[in-house]
Amino acid sequence: MKITFLLHDAYTAGVAVRNTTSLATALAARHEVEIVSLYRTADRMPFAVAEEVTVRAMVDLRPASPHYAGTIVDQWLPGAVCPYDTAYTGPTPPSRLGEDRLAAHLRDTDADVVVATQPHAVCFLAEHGRADHLRIGQEYRAHASHRAPLRRELEAAIARLDAYVSFSRAAARAHRAALPHAPVRLTSIPVCSPVPGAEPSTGNSKVVLAAGRLLPAEGYDRFLEAFAKVAKVHPDWSLRIHGRGGEQQRLRHRVEELGLHDHVLVMGTPAPTDAEWAKGAIAVVSGSGADLSGISLVEAMSWGLPVVSTDSGHAPRELITPGQNGLLVPDHGPLQDTLADELRHLIENEAARRRMAGTARRTAERFRPELIAAQYEALFTDRATARAAAGKRSSRNAGGGARWRRRVRLLVSRLGPAQLAPSLPTVACRVTTDGSLVFALPPRHLGPGAWSLTLRPRDPERAEPIQLPVERDTAEGARSLHVTLDKRVCELAEGDWDVLLARCDGRASRPVRAGLIETAHLLEPAHQLSSWREGIKTWIPYPTPNGTLALRAWHRPAHAEVVTCAVENETLRLTGQLLGWRARAHHYRFQARLRGAPERVFETSCQVDQDGRFGVDVPFSPVAGHHPGREAVWELLLRAYGGGPEVRLGMVTGDLVDHRHLRQFPVAGYAGPDGELLFRPRLTREHDLVLAAETAAADRPHDLRLRP
């Protein structure tokens, strides 16, 4: 049969898009499947979908596209269907143009089944879907969470469909109670969670991952307050919050207020991508009563993380068996204290944490796309049979015609883009346990002759390009060719390196598109031990803003890594770790040097223990005494006694290419002899820690700790 999924914007990351792409890929193994997106806002979809699945957009909103529809008058006029849907307040509200084109598509489509995934699409399908379609709706939000006008519109639309699918059994029961006489099948089918496409979590990191929508209802304030209690007992653990929403900036301010800037990162990205889940040892998920899908819970389990969730909403109660695959925290009373206790329990009991992680992976097996696709196939068959029994026109059997259309469409999809413009080859990159890199690329991107992966320094004065030959003889019939950049034998100068696919004869080269990037091993104790012995020699693969693959190389045989940065009693207090035996071979004094005027120097003592842990207190008073009367930047370093090396203070360890937009540093006001100054620690482009000083505004009170 032919199955069509309706999405609002298939090019924006979200639960509906993630679930639909996984389900469509699974169904495409046996059926003809298409995804119809009301809007197209990006060149690529955020989640991979099988090439057998057709993806089409009704309205192209990419300004650089030749099909850009943003200047058409009807695109500026609001749509008429389901006006109370929150999509109308989003960045791409339904428009008259989009609705006209989608209505025409539904009139002309030869689909047997149409599945609508969001309220506007559900109402639109009920109003414009043809009688010979099986019309299926999906509910990603709790029915009771919608405002009354939208609930009424949805209830009227649901009654006109053939089936309506919720993602939890309790939600389906709630719908049946709300619509007891509706002539529609109200059922539940869980979300999909594909088999991890990369190494799952080893559980060796000391990272807690939180995922969800950053909205007031999700209660992330409580998570932060709970982790503040955890950090006091386990300062070597950190929390990363993934998600987008209106609370992002306020949460960053709250991190600063709680003094958690050394322990918490608000990542500013959607829910963790596949490779990000692998970096955690524990997952914390808000069990919002409005979210029915539980997709973050399932994905965390799939990657081998025990989950701690608030006991609210249907999904956590149906997915988590307390003490087996995770823990439930009552969503009432002293939640912060209880959540902190449960996190400490998992942190302090490694055996229990690993046992729950194994059970969590087994729990996730129930949600594999092929199993969920089979449940949808059973639903389609049941509804078609019910239609036939009721004397209605049944859905068509696509048979050989559908198979022929699929073959022709697949051929066109493969030949058409190649005739218009060669697509960039996609290369995945994985960091191994010893810090080496393994690149994987499909053989089909290689033409005749010898090829290499070329690493080209962005600053050509720092180093020469490095060529890594692509060996094809040993991978006959393999899906991917593998090229290794061995950390034991290769050296990369510090800086950014672009990855290109090149002919060895030098006749052609082109950038490669970033595929799956795995950097979880950079957070593990083994890598940290290597840095303690040898200094910093880290290679971090990353996607550039235009989607190509690049590397960031750090190379510092002697380095002072800053771990904490605090302001106390008119003093900047820094603690950290000397990395590399060359760094630990000396005794040091701390030095602050004015950039552009190296003769202006302030020095103070630096305490270093036998393991290389250091601490230094930088009083603001002498620095203020050297202030030049304008904005100034003080470089911070450790200077060895007896003519030894200068070691820059910085933050370069871990898996992050750029910490600057994530790190929250305390800002302090100081009443100096010539007026108030503001002191602000920050990272340079090279990730050296510096202290910026500037004259404060006259109306700003001094001696206050301020937020950035």
Side-chain angles (χ1 to χ4, degrees):
M1 64 178 66
K2 181 175 180 179
I3 304 164
T4 295
F5 289 91
L6 303 183
L7 282 168
H8 183 77
D9 184 359
Y11 297 84
T12 300
V15 174
V17 177
R18 178 179 282 272
N19 188 57
T20 298
T21 53
S22 299
L23 180 57
T25 294
L27 289 169
R30 293 179 296 278
H31 306 282
E32 184 178 3
V33 182
E34 72 171 353
I35 294 174
V36 175
S37 178
L38 185 63
Y39 291 121
R40 181 171 188 176
T41 56
D43 293 332
R44 301 178 69 198
M45 294 174 65
F47 307 112
V49 66
E51 59 184 11
E52 291 86 359
V53 177
T54 300
V55 182
R56 66 179 85 244
M58 299 293 98
V59 178
D60 193 337
L61 292 181
R62 295 172 296 163
S65 169
H67 306 292
Y68 178 61
T71 57
I72 299 176
V73 173
D74 279 2
Q75 176 56 28
W76 292 87
L77 300 177
V81 176
C82 196
Y84 298 104
D85 187 5
T86 55
Y88 280 93
T89 61
T92 52
S95 67
R96 179 183 296 180
L97 177 67
E99 289 189 346
D100 288 347
R101 291 182 178 181
L102 183 57
H105 180 80
L106 290 176
R107 284 196 303 270
D108 298 336
T109 184
D110 58 350
D112 300 283
V113 181
V114 181
V115 182
T117 60
Q118 289 144 316
H120 177 265
V122 168
C123 293
F124 200 91
L125 178 61
E127 186 171 330
H128 293 278
R130 293 204 316 262
D132 59 334
H133 300 151
L134 280 178
R135 292 170 294 177
I136 311 295
Q138 290 177 331
E139 177 67 278
Y140 284 86
R141 305 287 294 165
H143 193 58
S145 71
H146 297 307
R147 293 183 178 180
L150 179 56
R151 281 203 305 272
R152 289 192 293 269
E153 288 190 331
L154 274 174
E155 289 170 359
I158 291 169
R160 300 169 64 182
L161 301 178
D162 294 285
Y164 196 64
V165 179
S166 298
F167 295 109
S168 74
R169 296 184 298 273
R173 289 194 296 270
H175 275 107
R176 286 192 287 269
L179 300 166
H181 306 297
V184 58
R185 171 83 177 273
L186 300 170
T187 188
S188 65
I189 300 177
V191 292
C192 297
S193 180
V195 175
E199 293 183 72
S201 169
T202 63
N204 293 331
S205 75
K206 295 184 177 182
V207 177
V208 178
L209 289 179
R213 300 168 308 133
L214 304 187
L215 300 174
E218 303 298 323
Y220 280 96
D221 277 357
R222 300 180 297 179
F223 284 8
L224 291 176
E225 291 165 12
F227 198 77
K229 300 175 184 294
V230 173
K232 290 180 180 179
V233 183
H234 299 284
D236 52 340
W237 279 72
S238 63
L239 170 67
R240 293 186 178 186
I241 299 176
H242 288 266
R244 285 180 178 159
E247 291 284 276
Q248 184 179 124
Q249 195 57 41
R250 195 186 67 79
L251 286 174
R252 285 178 172 158
H253 289 164
R254 186 61 178 147
V255 167
E256 176 61 23
E257 290 172 351
L258 292 170
L260 291 173
H261 53 275
D262 294 321
H263 306 284
V264 177
L265 294 178
V266 180
M267 302 299 290
T269 58
T273 59
D274 289 349
E276 293 301 308
W277 281 119
K279 298 176 183 179
I282 302 169
V284 179
V285 178
S286 171
S288 168
D291 181 15
L292 294 179
S293 69
I295 195 165
S296 293
L297 289 166
V298 176
E299 288 184 343
M301 291 181 179
S302 188
W303 284 85
L305 275 69
V307 180
V308 181
S309 173
T310 53
D311 185 11
S312 60
H314 303 307
R317 297 166 192 160
E318 293 186 4
L319 295 173
I320 294 177
T321 303
Q324 298 298 314
N325 55 10
L327 298 168
L328 285 176
V329 177
D331 193 29
H332 55 79
L335 182 144
Q336 293 89 326
D337 293 338
T338 308
L339 179 57
D341 290 343
E342 299 290 27
L343 287 173
R344 284 199 297 263
H345 170 73
L346 289 178
I347 289 171
E348 295 164 3
N349 293 273
E350 182 178 356
R353 189 170 75 242
R354 293 188 180 278
R355 175 178 53 77
M356 290 187 201
T359 306
R361 280 195 293 269
R362 291 189 290 274
T363 300
E365 292 295 328
R366 306 199 311 261
F367 302 91
R368 297 303 180 223
E370 59 274 14
L371 301 179
I372 304 303
Q375 295 185 51
Y376 273 94
E377 288 173 323
L379 175 65
F380 300 157
T381 300
D382 173 79
R383 291 296 85 201
T385 302
R387 272 191 170 208
K392 296 181 180 180
R393 183 178 178 182
S394 63
S395 61
R396 300 180 307 281
N397 182 353
R403 287 192 294 273
W404 174 252
R405 288 195 303 272
R406 180 167 58 186
R407 290 174 188 153
V408 172
R409 187 186 68 255
L410 182 57
L411 181 63
V412 171
S413 69
R414 287 175 174 169
L415 294 180
Q419 293 171 348
L420 294 174
S423 60
L424 294 180
T426 298
V427 175
C429 187
R430 175 172 56 88
V431 180
T432 64
T433 53
D434 70 348
S436 299
L437 302 182
V438 177
F439 301 91
L441 65 156
R444 67 176 183 272
H445 288 301
L446 302 182
W451 291 77
S452 70
L453 274 183
T454 298
L455 309 182
R456 186 176 64 193
R458 213 164 286 170
D459 182 354
E461 295 184 359
R462 288 196 174 189
E464 295 292 326
I466 295 176
Q467 291 190 334
L468 305 173
V470 178
E471 301 289 345
R472 289 193 286 188
D473 296 340
T474 60
E476 190 67 32
R479 297 182 60 184
S480 296
L481 303 175
H482 294 90
V483 179
T484 300
L485 181 65
D486 195 329
K487 189 177 180 181
R488 296 169 298 177
V489 298
C490 294
E491 294 282 351
L492 293 183
E494 185 166 307
D496 293 284
W497 296 68
D498 292 308
V499 181
L500 302 94
L501 184 62
R503 288 184 182 273
C504 291
D505 58 15
R507 289 189 299 168
S509 67
R510 52 180 169 161
V512 299
R513 190 179 300 280
L516 179 66
I517 295 176
E518 302 175 65
T519 57
H521 286 304
L522 294 176
L523 295 174
E524 297 196 353
H527 184 79
Q528 296 167 5
L529 179 61
S530 173
S531 297
W532 187 84
R533 293 194 306 259
E534 304 168 10
I536 299 297
K537 183 182 177 181
T538 302
W539 304 330
I540 309 177
Y542 68 94
T544 65
N546 61 6
T548 58
L549 180 61
L551 309 177
R552 175 67 188 189
W554 301 107
H555 186 69
R556 301 185 182 184
H559 174 65
E561 179 74 6
V562 175
V563 177
T564 68
C565 176
V567 172
E568 298 178 15
N569 301 322
E570 299 183 349
T571 299
L572 177 66
R573 178 160 292 171
L574 303 173
T575 67
Q577 175 71 54
L578 291 176
L579 299 176
W581 62 266
R582 297 177 188 176
R584 295 192 303 279
H586 301 274
H587 297 286
Y588 293 90
R589 62 189 182 277
F590 171 83
Q591 186 177 94
R593 186 167 56 203
L594 184 62
R595 180 179 294 173
E599 70 280 1
R600 296 200 180 191
V601 174
F602 163 72
E603 292 187 348
T604 189
S605 62
C606 175
Q607 303 298 320
V608 183
D609 70 13
Q610 61 183 3
D611 294 320
R613 290 186 291 265
F614 68 86
V616 60
D617 290 343
V618 186
F620 292 137
S621 176
V623 179
H626 287 82
H627 187 66
R630 51 181 166 76
E631 184 176 359
V633 174
W634 294 84
E635 297 170 343
L636 310 181
L637 53 130
L638 301 183
R639 191 175 183 89
Y641 289 103
E646 288 185 355
V647 182
R648 294 175 288 172
L649 272 65
M651 303 181 81
V652 300
T653 61
D655 63 309
L656 300 176
V657 172
D658 194 341
H659 299 236
R660 290 174 295 174
H661 67 291
L662 296 175
R663 294 291 178 184
Q664 306 261 123
F665 292 110
V667 179
Y670 176 78
D674 298 320
E676 187 195 12
L677 295 177
L678 288 182
F679 289 100
R680 184 190 304 269
R682 62 178 174 83
L683 294 174
T684 68
R685 186 181 182 281
E686 299 298 323
H687 281 63
D688 297 326
L689 186 69
V690 297
L691 182 62
E694 60 181 303
T695 303
D699 59 347
R700 189 188 299 273
H702 63 268
D703 277 341
L704 292 179
R705 182 173 172 179
L706 306 174
R707 293 194 296 244

